[in-house]
Amino acid sequence: MRRSPLAAAVLATAVVMLAGCATPSTQPEQTAAAAPAPDATPSTTPSSEVRVVGAAERPPAAFSGDCEAAISAAELGEALGYEVIGYTARDLRWTRSISAAGGLSCEWEGGRLDIIPRAGLGEAELQPGSQTYYFGACDYACAWVWEDESLWVSGSSWGAEGRTREEADAAAASVGPAVAESWRSSDDLWARDRTGWLPILTCDDIAAAVGEQLGSDVTAAEAGYHDPAGAATEIADAASRMAWCSLSDDDGEAFVVVRADAGIAWDVPWEGLGEPIDLGIPGIDSFVKDKGGYTVWRVYELTDGVNGVSAEVSNEGRWSEQQIATAVAAAAASDFQL
């Protein structure tokens, strides 16, 4: 399988993490422009009532989470040129970013369809490198994208040997408008309030803020998924202003992996997995669980009631696990701004 151009080199102890679309891998750099709060971009008729989704709320899933309501398996199969078997919504545990944008991710034997309302994406876009990677030459997964002012729709087929870019784009031209037609008859009108969301952060921002709390120089490297996450996860991550970083001390020893997501408080701790812990930082609720995805270190999940931060914390370096977790929590309390 072709690897992402920025292959992960975060930690030698990396192990499988079930997140994103499958297992984590480094992904091409992504940023999202700040969007107004609320971002009112009605997706259908302007006469319909638009619900404002709170800054810390989970948006409603497109088509109420019903893949058949978006496009039937029969119609999808006709567009793709093969029978679509086992067509269903993906396990919501692994579509956190897409869910945070109000999206719907559907899968079948050999493929996937992702549908995300523009209201959930704001001004987020895939970076040019990702556009080329996913929607250039057909490789292991022959992916395509279709979009209009209301929806962003992408699909991919595994084991697409022999398929051409032209065939993939023809599928997009058939599936995209069919999904959009279904969307026009739905009542899924909402706008996103982004009040209190984290700003767009760089790993250097996070390193500086955590280093300030620890009283030491800290360096950062981009972290990410082990294998390409898929275009939908990448653009949804950008919509959540996701920053994912490995921090090292001045000896070059990695001591924490930090991931920050705006507006994700509804899923902290993830799947309810975590015991409450008091780190003594006002305004921050903290939880801890035994094992992370990149490392064998424990994971601390933090929220200020709107945003979410996770920290996989080493217990073998110059700082104790508690010191590191508390430093990350204090930095998060100030939105990682010095």
Side-chain angles (χ1 to χ4, degrees):
M1 178 176 179
R2 183 166 53 126
R3 291 283 172 170
S4 169
L6 297 180
V10 181
L11 296 169
T13 56
V15 295
V16 172
M17 174 182 181
L18 295 174
C21 76
T23 52
S25 79
T26 297
Q27 53 195 0
E29 180 183 357
Q30 54 197 355
T31 58
D39 176 20
T41 50
S43 304
T44 57
T45 60
S47 60
S48 302
E49 183 178 351
V50 178
R51 169 195 167 190
V52 176
V53 176
E57 288 184 71
R58 175 181 173 177
F63 299 102
S64 300
D66 184 353
C67 295
E68 285 278 350
I71 184 171
S72 69
E75 189 174 5
L76 184 59
E78 184 177 347
L80 298 176
Y82 61 86
E83 184 180 7
V84 171
I85 300 172
Y87 180 51
T88 187
R90 291 176 63 201
D91 188 327
L92 293 177
R93 290 177 297 173
W94 318 126
T95 63
R96 188 193 209 195
S97 294
I98 295 170
S99 295
L104 170 62
S105 187
C106 305
E107 62 185 355
W108 60 91
E109 293 180 14
R112 181 172 299 153
L113 175 67
D114 294 295
I115 304 162
I116 306 178
R118 282 288 176 191
L121 291 179
E123 298 181 15
E125 298 287 350
L126 285 176
Q127 291 295 301
S130 293
Q131 289 275 6
T132 300
Y133 181 79
Y134 289 112
F135 308 127
C138 282
D139 196 354
Y140 176 79
C142 196
W144 51 263
V145 64
W146 182 94
E147 50 192 314
D148 66 5
E149 71 281 358
S150 300
L151 294 174
W152 185 94
V153 183
S154 180
S156 55
S157 297
W158 319 138
E161 184 176 354
R163 287 212 160 211
T164 65
R165 169 50 45 200
E166 291 72 24
E167 288 173 318
D169 290 343
S174 179
V175 176
V179 172
E181 181 63 30
S182 298
W183 183 254
R184 280 190 286 273
S185 64
S186 74
D187 295 323
D188 291 343
L189 277 177
W190 53 275
R192 185 76 201 209
D193 181 3
R194 293 178 170 85
T195 304
W197 274 32
L198 288 168
I200 297 170
L201 298 166
T202 68
C203 285
D204 286 342
D205 294 331
I206 292 175
V210 174
E212 170 108 341
Q213 295 297 325
L214 292 172
S216 178
D217 290 335
V218 171
T219 58
E222 297 283 344
Y225 304 101
H226 287 303
D227 293 311
T233 296
E234 284 201 22
I235 197 170
D237 281 344
S240 293
R241 306 179 186 177
M242 186 271 281
W244 198 352
C245 316
S246 171
L247 306 188
S248 299
D249 62 24
D250 52 14
D251 289 329
E253 293 295 323
F255 64 90
V256 66
V257 177
V258 176
R259 173 166 169 158
D261 294 84
I264 204 75
W266 54 268
D267 197 28
V268 177
W270 177 74
E271 280 291 286
L273 302 175
E275 296 297 323
I277 184 171
D278 184 4
L279 294 176
I281 305 299
I284 298 292
D285 292 327
S286 308
F287 306 85
V288 64
K289 60 185 177 183
D290 282 339
K291 189 176 179 181
Y294 269 118
T295 67
V296 295
W297 303 337
R298 291 213 296 175
V299 177
Y300 290 78
E301 289 195 69
L302 321 167
T303 182
D304 59 1
V306 175
N307 308 294
V309 175
S310 69
E312 296 181 45
V313 179
S314 170
N315 57 6
E316 299 177 349
R318 69 177 65 177
W319 300 292
S320 71
E321 183 180 299
Q322 186 89 358
Q323 284 177 307
I324 297 168
T326 302
V328 174
S334 64
D335 290 345
F336 298 99
Q337 303 294 295
L338 297 179

